[in-house]
Amino acid sequence: MSGWDSEVDVAVVGGGACGVMSALRAARNPDLVIAVFEKSTREGCNAAISSGSLAAGGTRFQAAAGIEDSPQRHAEDIIAASGDEEWRPVVEALCAAAPEFVEWIADTGYPMEIGTDMPRAGMSVPRLHTDVGRLGGVRLMRHLRTLLDACDNVAFVDEAPVVDLVVEDGEVAGVVVQQNGTTQRVRANAVVLASDGFAGSPALVKEHLSHLGAPFYGGVSTATGDALAWVLPLGARLRNMGAGLRSGLVVVDHGTRVSPALPFNGAVLVNLDGERFVEEDTKGYSSMAGVLQRQPGERAAMIWDATAMEATRESEMMRECLAAGAIRDRAALADVAADLGRTVEETERLLAPLPGRRALTAPYHLAWVTHGLLATQGGLVIDPSGRVLDASGTPIPRLFAGGGTACGLAGAHSDGYMSGNGLLSAFGMAWIIGNALSRTA
Ligand SMILES: Cc1cc2nc3c(=O)[nH]c(=O)nc-3n(C[C@H](O)[C@H](O)[C@H](O)COP(=O)(O)OP(=O)(O)OC[C@H]3O[C@@H](n4cnc5c(N)ncnc54)[C@H](O)[C@@H]3O)c2cc1C
């Protein structure tokens, strides 16, 4: 073993959603030795700060709730939102994997339920699965890490960023890892790039996403697109680099997000000019970010009532908002009018329900919301098996990518992002890659 510090069968770059699931699935083969190199769990992964909402069509949880759905219907919804026909094979592969990984996570003891109270724009049936108690991604990632720690053939190496690939004779042969001030070359038969996107890199965001202006950044610091620089010299291609997972639900001066279900429960948006500028429940939260960016001051007041509050209170997002003091309680219409700088009569007109929507009644709640960037959606071109492709469409041997490192499901534009796409890309591709690796010896 000349020139190598150690050797494994599978080197996973990143210990977030995609990395942990890839390792868990590959580790079912006891003959494989797997190392997950994680930049820093102290800094964290996006999966752990996410809502942990898992989109899957055709699960037993949906069936038990009387919801008819299928992987095909899920895929059609995603493509209708993104308009990205070219990406259909990847979308269909992920949607086929989704009910399998959601049910498997539940079978490992995770308290899964279907969120019938989590309506989302563009989702033709309730399809988001979440934990009973709604603690979100932090609980999910803790659960998966516990499962991983029980695997004898997996080493989770923390505070150990991968800084490069080792390429020998034009082929990926391993990774270069930094740990405790030393640099190590780790030989691997397969490398899984699971280090997420580049929303935490101001330089890359400026290069690819300058049209988003100066959004609040709501993702983790570790998502700096490290893998992109290593694979481009191998001929890999990037796709949809101008698309992001945005949020139009970020509370000004707090950075917490209000629930995406509020607009479906009658919440109203009013801008600084005293205008109602959008039909609130027709936009997904990523698409709403663009609408807010175009408003005066890039913000608007979201107003809702006690009924809407009751319907949305039990989510990690609303709990965080309440804990942060990000939501104002307003007893009467006059109080809301004062916040908006409008007369009571004007405010009454502004809050009047649009056709088919419920009327709000006092007391009210109010938060000023703006747009934020949570994660990027552009990334490496892969095939439906997660193999990284070169410019001719040929798989680069031994190299896989999933989650935010790979091209996502939003299409060319952030408006095409559908709720649940992020973890679907991460867990779904990890499921596919890890299962295939477990069949290798
Ligand atoms: C606030 C928020 C809420 C969200 N809510 C949802 C939701 O409810 N549902 C949904 O589907 N999606 C959601 N998303 C998106 C989702 O979290 C991401 O799409 C998903 O986590 C991507 O998975 P990943 O494995 O690619 O990246 P991550 O989960 O971010 O994991 C990547 C890991 O790689 C590590 N890493 C980075 N560079 C290196 C390196 N050089 N060497 C070693 N390790 C490295 C990082 O430290 C990190 O631990 C949300 C995102 C945010 C920010």
Side-chain angles (χ1 to χ4, degrees):
M1 202 174 66
S2 70
W4 296 102
D5 297 294
S6 56
E7 180 169 348
V8 296
D9 295 296
V10 180
V12 179
V13 184
C18 181
V20 168
M21 181 64 90
S22 307
L24 277 169
R25 296 307 293 175
R28 291 172 312 138
N29 181 342
D31 294 333
L32 291 181
V33 175
I34 299 150
V36 180
F37 297 105
E38 164 55 38
K39 190 190 265 184
S40 171
T41 52
R42 271 182 311 126
E43 295 292 323
C45 63
N46 272 330
I49 64 163
S50 79
S51 305
S53 309
L54 304 173
T59 66
R60 66 175 190 250
F61 302 99
Q62 289 175 303
I67 298 161
E68 270 185 48
D69 200 9
S70 66
Q72 196 56 42
R73 187 170 181 178
H74 186 185
E76 295 307 334
D77 280 358
I78 289 173
I79 293 166
S82 70
D84 195 358
E85 265 304 326
E86 194 187 323
W87 212 232
R88 178 180 282 277
V90 172
V91 174
E92 289 182 345
L94 293 171
C95 291
E100 294 179 20
F101 74 70
V102 165
E103 293 187 2
W104 178 81
I105 292 173
D107 292 341
T108 61
Y110 190 70
M112 191 80 76
E113 67 176 1
I114 175 74
T116 51
D117 56 342
M118 297 168 74
R120 298 290 187 268
M123 209 169 268
S124 54
V125 292
R127 188 179 285 140
L128 290 182
H129 298 70
T130 180
D131 63 306
V132 179
R134 308 293 165 93
L135 299 178
V138 66
R139 180 186 204 171
L140 178 58
M141 289 312 294
R142 204 179 296 136
H143 176 80
L144 295 176
R145 271 298 308 278
T146 304
L147 296 179
L148 195 66
D149 290 347
C151 296
D152 290 339
N153 54 342
V154 179
F156 189 98
V157 192
D158 205 353
E159 300 295 328
V162 173
V163 292
D164 208 350
L165 295 176
V166 181
V167 179
E168 283 186 348
D169 301 326
E171 291 215 347
V172 175
V175 293
V176 182
V177 182
Q178 265 178 4
Q179 198 185 16
N180 299 331
T182 66
T183 299
Q184 301 176 23
R185 282 160 53 92
V186 181
R187 190 184 183 109
N189 291 328
V191 175
V192 181
L193 301 175
S195 48
D196 209 348
F198 57 90
S201 161
L204 289 173
V205 168
K206 190 171 172 202
E207 183 179 344
H208 299 286
L209 293 159
S210 57
H211 55 282
L212 303 189
F216 172 83
Y217 177 48
V220 288
S221 63
T222 51
T224 44
D226 302 353
L228 304 182
W230 317 328
V231 288
L232 292 180
L234 297 172
R237 273 191 307 136
L238 302 175
R239 193 166 180 277
N240 291 343
M241 293 296 278
L245 158 51
R246 306 178 74 187
S247 173
L249 302 166
V250 176
V251 182
V252 175
D253 293 339
H254 291 281
T256 55
R257 290 166 296 132
V258 294
S259 167
L262 280 172
F264 295 87
N265 285 281
V268 162
L269 282 166
V270 178
N271 70 15
L272 283 170
D273 287 345
E275 290 164 349
R276 185 107 173 245
F277 53 90
V278 66
E279 278 191 51
E280 293 85 356
D281 58 358
T282 59
K283 300 276 177 196
Y285 45 81
S286 189
S287 159
M288 187 65 91
V291 178
L292 283 177
Q293 189 186 357
R294 293 190 290 277
Q295 301 312 306
E298 303 186 19
R299 66 187 60 193
M302 186 179 276
I303 302 132
W304 65 98
D305 65 2
T307 305
M309 191 70 174
E310 210 39 52
T312 57
R313 180 187 289 276
E314 286 312 318
S315 66
E316 103 291 352
M317 283 174 274
M318 291 302 269
R319 278 196 292 261
E320 282 174 13
C321 281
L322 289 166
I327 295 173
R328 307 177 190 181
D329 299 331
R330 293 294 181 251
L333 201 60
D335 305 314
V336 176
D339 280 319
L340 298 179
R342 303 285 140 188
T343 65
V344 171
E345 292 71 30
E346 283 171 332
T347 305
E348 193 164 18
R349 270 197 304 279
L350 284 167
L351 297 198
L354 299 176
R357 304 187 73 206
R358 54 178 287 272
L360 301 178
T361 54
Y364 303 97
H365 303 281
L366 184 149
W368 286 94
V369 290
T370 186
H371 61 105
L373 174 64
L374 303 187
T376 50
Q377 291 298 295
L380 296 171
V381 176
I382 54 170
D383 72 4
S385 304
R387 297 179 299 181
V388 178
L389 303 181
D390 69 14
S392 68
T394 306
I396 298 172
R398 304 163 179 229
L399 191 61
F400 300 84
T405 313
C407 174
L409 312 183
H413 200 277
S414 311
D415 291 1
Y417 182 90
M418 179 170 290
S419 188
N421 278 359
L423 291 174
L424 172 63
S425 296
F427 287 133
M429 204 41 85
W431 185 261
I432 293 167
I433 295 168
N435 286 349
L437 289 174
S438 76
R439 293 190 287 269
T440 59

